[in-house]
Amino acid sequence: MTTVRDARPPTGTGSTGTRALGAVALVLLVLTIVYGLIISPPDRLLGETIRIIYMHVPTVLAAYAAFIVTAVSSAMYLWKRTEFWDLLGASAAEIGVLFFGVTIIVGAFWGKITWGVFWRWEPRLTTSAVLLLMYIGYLAVRAVPADTRTRATRSAIIGLVAVVNIPIVHFAVDWWRGLHQGRTVLSTIDPEMAGTQLFAMYLSMAAGIVVFVWLLLHRFRVAFLTERVEETGLDEAIAQRRAEGVSS
Amino acid sequence: MIREALLVAGKDLRLEWRSKVGLVQIVPFAILVLMLFAFALDPDRGVLERATPGLFWVAVLFSSVLTLQRSFSVEAEDGVLDALRLSGLAPVSIFWGKVAALTAQLLVLEMILAFGVAIFYGTTFHSIGLLVVVALAATVGIAASGAVYGALAARLRSRDTLLPLLMLPLLAPVLISATRGFEIGLERQAGGGWTWAALLAVFALVYLILGSLLFRPLLEDA
């Protein structure tokens, strides 16, 4: 069973395409830093803290994109039952949790400066925390050793259940906090932005998405190669046992 | 399908009735949680009284996780899940049967807890209609989502630690809605209690549909 791939095992997860994408991501990140930290002016209302938004918004955008990929992949896996959708969903979920964690931490810092406390039971923060915990559950199940098909089915089901729960959590938390306080501070930012601020914001969003796609490609390839290594390992072990049988 | 579901539910309830694990372990645990809250929150300062709806539902949630673990660990042992699959019962019927049995068990638990808060926290119940509807919708929601995750975690070796991690964030909206519904039902707060009941009903409906769709792959592969 020698195939071309077996003959020449890959030595990395990069390709011409991903290297180009990586370069674009790097340029966008540098531009975001330059525009976000240096060129764009401080905000009238939020002062220098507005700069946190240039990190907060792109990370949350990438996280949501990741969770959408996970949801679609989960549904596709249950329909097609192919390794591709399983690994894609899992890779995206991992990156989603990473970005979401960054979003929440960055948000908490912003909260400390603006509200004086790291955490307030603000609807979006609360919803985000619940979502993060749901996807941590997804990764926890993923980490339990199981055969490929079982693990894939389990994670696909959790991926679907989690995404269906997002709007319900959102409504519940919104109504819950809506009873106690008015509009949130975060939702008043957008209309105030203009000019370089808005440009920096869009730039950061583009950077976030490109970095996400770049990471996803690499993470997917790592996952794919991990599966191959496990298969090869099994084949080798079987071959060794057979060889023992012959020699004795 | 209904007949098959009732068969599964009957089997589960009979099993519980005979083993009495729910009665001698889970119910005392739930009462214990109520007492622990009283130790943690000073009963003389009115905190306990004000927090009753929330504490009631937290106690329900914790006990639900135990009930779920129990309901599916009896299936996971000795390959009962495989036997269920081979029995020719439709996965949908098994799901509905599980949901029915869980709902029944949780409702009994909630009734006992309601007595518990009436006695320990001195709660008086007003708008009974709203309270019953909120409890019913919340319980079906917990049972439906719990049946999905219970079946999923049943064969995991680390299910005892994984199930709470999976279930509790999922049930966050149920805790919020049921607590608010009860606050209004107990007339602690003005407002539209029925909106919360509606949200709970939507949650229950979503998971009943999702469970009906997902139970086949769950039984076959997970």
Side-chain angles (χ1 to χ4, degrees), chain A residues 4-26:
Chain A
V4 178
R5 199 183 290 123
D6 286 335
R8 224 159 36 92
T11 49
T13 53
S15 63
T16 321
T18 52
R19 279 187 204 105
L21 197 66
V24 173
L26 212 59

Side-chain angles (χ1 to χ4, degrees), chain B residues 24-166:
Chain B
V24 301
Q25 289 178 19
I26 298 174
V27 169
F29 169 77
I31 304 279
L32 184 66
V33 173
L34 287 188
M35 304 208 70
L36 291 180
F37 283 142
F39 299 151
L41 309 167
D42 190 348
D44 290 335
R45 264 186 258 154
V47 184
L48 208 54
E49 217 178 305
R50 264 179 286 132
T52 303
L55 300 180
F56 174 85
W57 282 103
V58 169
V60 169
L61 243 54
F62 285 162
S63 328
S64 305
V65 173
L66 289 184
T67 312
L68 274 169
Q69 271 171 343
R70 163 83 192 139
S71 169
F72 282 93
S73 66
V74 292
E75 307 284 16
E77 283 159 21
D78 305 324
V80 180
L81 268 180
D82 294 323
L84 263 183
R85 264 169 60 208
L86 293 171
S87 65
L89 293 171
V92 170
S93 315
I94 300 177
F95 170 69
W96 282 82
K98 280 276 172 202
V99 173
L102 281 169
T103 307
Q105 291 174 52
L106 291 178
L107 282 176
V108 172
L109 184 81
E110 282 163 28
M111 272 189 272
I112 296 171
L113 275 174
F115 276 114
V117 291
I119 294 165
F120 292 129
Y121 301 175
T123 311
T124 40
F125 297 92
H126 303 281
S127 343
I128 301 285
L130 176 66
L131 293 179
V132 169
V133 173
V134 165
L136 210 63
T139 310
V140 175
I142 296 171
S145 55
V148 174
Y149 272 0
L152 188 137
R155 275 182 282 208
L156 289 168
R157 247 170 303 160
S158 46
R159 61 167 179 260
D160 297 342
T161 40
L162 257 180
L163 195 63
L165 174 62
L166 291 175

